[in-house]
Amino acid sequence: MSRRSGILEFAVLGLLRESPMHGYELRKRLNTSLGVFRAFSYGSLYPCLKTLVASGWLIEESGSTPADALAAPLAGRRAKIVYRLTAEGKEHFEELLSQTGPDAYEDEHFAARFAFFGQTSRDVRMRVLEGRRSRLEERLEKMRISFARTRERLDDYTLELQRHGMESVEREVRWLNELIESERAGRDQRRSDPSDAAQQDTSGETGGLPRHRDSTRPDPSDDTAT
């Protein structure tokens, strides 16, 4: 399985965990809610769905009423197929959510992982965020070294492009710092109030999100920020 197809399978399972959908609804959610999938097409989606069905993680159901099912053949239309997550599929998705290896920090996979942070445990969120920050700090250091070595040989436009790239990475690092600080503050608050922790410490809570002070936070799916 390629990394890109693996990301798509992860996102499909995550969306179907929320509710069953047919192919058009899935594609729309992938394009609008998860910006990293804007370039995906039906040609990518349906082979992915078939693979997930064959693996036992999804089942196909008719999305039509009995009357629609009878009318569809007469009208020459195919009944809509709705995809539903199986118990095995839910278990597999939860296993994927718990993974915090290097793939979770990479550009496209991080965007997909972040989109499902609401379904992810706090400890896993922290490890993914810290791993992403570490990866970007390493990248930023390399960019600065390269910029210092080559700036005398580059024209103004190329220099400006490199500055833009560094600023984008710096902006994402600042955003990650805010998220990590908020996650830690939320965890510390729950530790200091055990009675409140019993009510709020669920795998899908999102109390760690910072209040947005402005509109400059980066889009995790923005290629310029990685």
Side-chain angles (χ1 to χ4, degrees), residues 64-65 67-81:
S64 305
T65 65
D68 291 337
L70 291 174
L74 297 176
R77 299 194 308 269
R78 295 175 59 186
K80 289 183 179 178
I81 299 297

Side-chain angles (χ1 to χ4, degrees), residues 79-216:
K80 289 183 179 178
I81 299 297
V82 171
Y83 296 90
R84 182 185 298 274
L85 198 65
T86 64
E88 293 80 4
K90 182 179 180 181
E91 183 178 348
H92 179 62
F93 179 69
E94 290 173 350
E95 179 183 346
L96 294 176
L97 277 181
S98 69
Q99 296 178 1
T100 58
D103 280 351
Y105 319 149
E106 298 300 336
D107 299 345
E108 290 184 343
H109 208 157
F110 173 75
R113 286 297 301 270
F114 189 83
F116 295 100
F117 263 22
Q119 302 180 41
T120 307
S121 69
R122 180 179 297 276
D123 288 343
V124 170
R125 291 200 302 262
M126 282 290 292
R127 288 196 291 271
V128 173
L129 290 172
E130 289 173 341
R132 176 66 175 174
R133 180 177 64 179
S134 177
R135 181 63 52 85
L136 288 183
E137 286 174 340
E138 292 175 2
R139 183 182 301 174
L140 184 58
E141 181 63 20
K142 291 178 181 178
M143 293 173 73
R144 287 169 174 164
I145 292 172
S146 175
F147 183 77
R149 288 175 177 174
T150 61
R151 61 183 304 167
E152 299 300 330
R153 302 193 302 269
L154 300 177
D155 61 69
D156 291 343
Y157 294 101
T158 305
L159 284 172
E160 191 61 32
L161 185 62
Q162 289 197 3
R163 288 194 188 95
H164 173 69
M166 287 192 294
E167 289 171 0
S168 296
V169 177
E170 289 170 347
R171 185 168 62 250
E172 185 172 349
V173 169
R174 290 194 298 270
W175 173 66
L176 289 167
N177 285 335
E178 289 186 359
L179 289 172
I180 291 169
E181 290 173 7
S182 296
E183 292 284 355
R184 286 175 176 164
R187 182 174 60 188
D188 293 342
Q189 181 179 6
R190 264 173 284 281
R191 284 177 175 173
S192 65
D193 189 351
S195 62
D196 188 53
Q199 298 178 8
Q200 297 187 35
D201 193 12
T202 61
S203 63
E205 63 86 17
T206 55
L209 285 176
R211 295 180 181 275
H212 302 318
R213 293 189 294 271
D214 53 46
S215 59
T216 61

